[in-house]
Amino acid sequence: MKYDEKELLIIWLDSFKDIEYKHKRELFDLLVDKTDLKRNIEINRREISAAIGETGYNALVSSANKDYLKDTVDKLAAAGEKAITLCSEYYPELLKAISDPPLALYARGNIELLKTRIFGIVGSRKSLPFSLSIAKDFASTLSDNGFTLVTGTAEGVDAEVLKTALNGGAIISVAAGGLDNIYPSANAALIEKIAKNGLVISEQREDVKPMPYMFPVRNRIIAGLSRGVLVVSGRLKSGTMYTAEYCVEYGRDLFAVPYSVGIESGAGSNELIKRGATLADCPQDILLFYGIDAEKKHEETAFSDTEREIISTLKDGALHIEKIAEKSGKQIYEITSALTVLEIKGVVCKNGINTYGLIRNREI
């Protein structure tokens, strides 16, 4: 990938890991319109040293040469990455408009996705099976209706969204650390698939190990890229709530899935709805919000009499299998096989040990 002079300046500045983001922005503004980089660093020594110290200043001076820059760009290419800088044509306008946009996004995959209509789906790492089914349902429907989905790299909701949208390829995953240090490592293979079929990005260079503070900072990118964000699940204090707060700060559309009282992983979602987030208990709520009239792409599902009785029994909430059998007047072995079929049909899911609930209420 070829870079112009402004892009190269950003790539050069961003290679200094010990310089804070705000100082890199100041240095970019100070040096962007200058031709002789080293000379202009020396001219502005007092101002630069006051910001980043003598050690930082000396590092800039000694590295302001073509060899250092070539080595930096070559390392990007060797890592299979492209740098999408603030000056790049592919840098998303929505992200550029936030208060602290990344100087650069280091990308593996299809950077054309950064120009598409992006929607975020986030949630807890430790979500109930019910929540994961909800995430899959929303991800599938929104993806089918033209949205590029964006989420993190975590287990739970993130992974469910990634796997669901993977086949269509319209999926972006945002990592907290460098792309050679995906966290959790258990998802590294999944993220590699996303890089081949979608897009993986980070504001960190490839070899940077993720630190705890990088995760909430990363979440501003998910919110900043997105036209809107759906919170599938989340505790009152969680990374998901950070993302929601960024959405509010940036003026993005915020949606949340409602939960019954007492479900800890849904408490954050309910709190967001109280604060004004749009309640979304089915994908059509989001599609209608954006004026999209989605037609059903599947045939009406056929149910046996036992399956219909189970669905009717569960309409008031999740139940233990013994309670389902009692209310429906069926034997447990009949209920067990029917529940398995309903899980395959995407109608029910396990909410706990031998406890089942509807993925959503439905007419039969």
Side-chain angles (χ1 to χ4, degrees), residues 113-142:
L113 291 177
L114 293 171
K115 290 187 171 183
T116 60
R117 181 174 55 176
I118 299 172
F119 188 90
I121 302 181
V122 296
S124 174
R125 291 180 294 109
K126 297 180 180 179
S127 291
L128 295 171
F130 169 81
S131 301
L132 298 182
S133 297
I134 290 288
K136 181 177 181 179
D137 189 17
F138 275 89
S140 176
T141 302
L142 294 177

Side-chain angles (χ1 to χ4, degrees), residues 65-81:
N65 57 72
K66 291 182 180 179
D67 289 339
Y68 179 89
L69 182 57
K70 182 180 184 302
D71 183 59
T72 301
V73 173
D74 287 348
K75 284 180 180 178
L76 275 177
E81 294 186 3

Side-chain angles (χ1 to χ4, degrees), residues 201-267:
I201 59 175
S202 174
E203 67 178 317
Q204 307 294 340
R205 291 295 300 267
E206 72 281 352
D207 58 342
V208 175
K209 293 183 179 180
M211 303 297 290
Y213 76 87
M214 293 179 181
F215 291 90
V217 172
R218 179 275 312 271
N219 292 348
R220 86 189 194 287
I221 300 176
I222 295 175
L225 285 170
S226 303
R227 183 174 178 180
V229 171
L230 171 70
V231 173
V232 174
S233 62
R235 301 186 179 193
L236 287 172
K237 293 184 178 181
S238 62
T240 301
M241 295 297 278
Y242 276 110
T243 308
E245 289 167 6
Y246 283 125
C247 281
V248 174
E249 179 183 342
Y250 302 154
R252 307 302 159 83
D253 305 320
L254 181 60
F255 304 84
V257 174
Y259 281 79
S260 300
V261 175
I263 299 179
E264 188 176 0
S265 62

Side-chain angles (χ1 to χ4, degrees), residues 47-65:
E47 186 174 353
I48 294 173
S49 296
I52 63 175
E54 281 295 319
T55 300
Y57 168 81
N58 290 331
L60 291 185
V61 171
S62 63
S63 304
N65 57 72

Side-chain angles (χ1 to χ4, degrees), residues 130 133 314-315 317-320 324 339 343 346-352 354-360:
F130 169 81
S133 297
L314 293 176
K315 280 191 173 182
L319 293 172
H320 190 275
I324 298 172
L339 283 169
E343 282 189 277
V347 178
V348 304
C349 68
K350 277 188 177 181
N351 286 352
N354 289 328
T355 300
Y356 294 81
L358 292 178
I359 291 178
R360 61 184 74 265

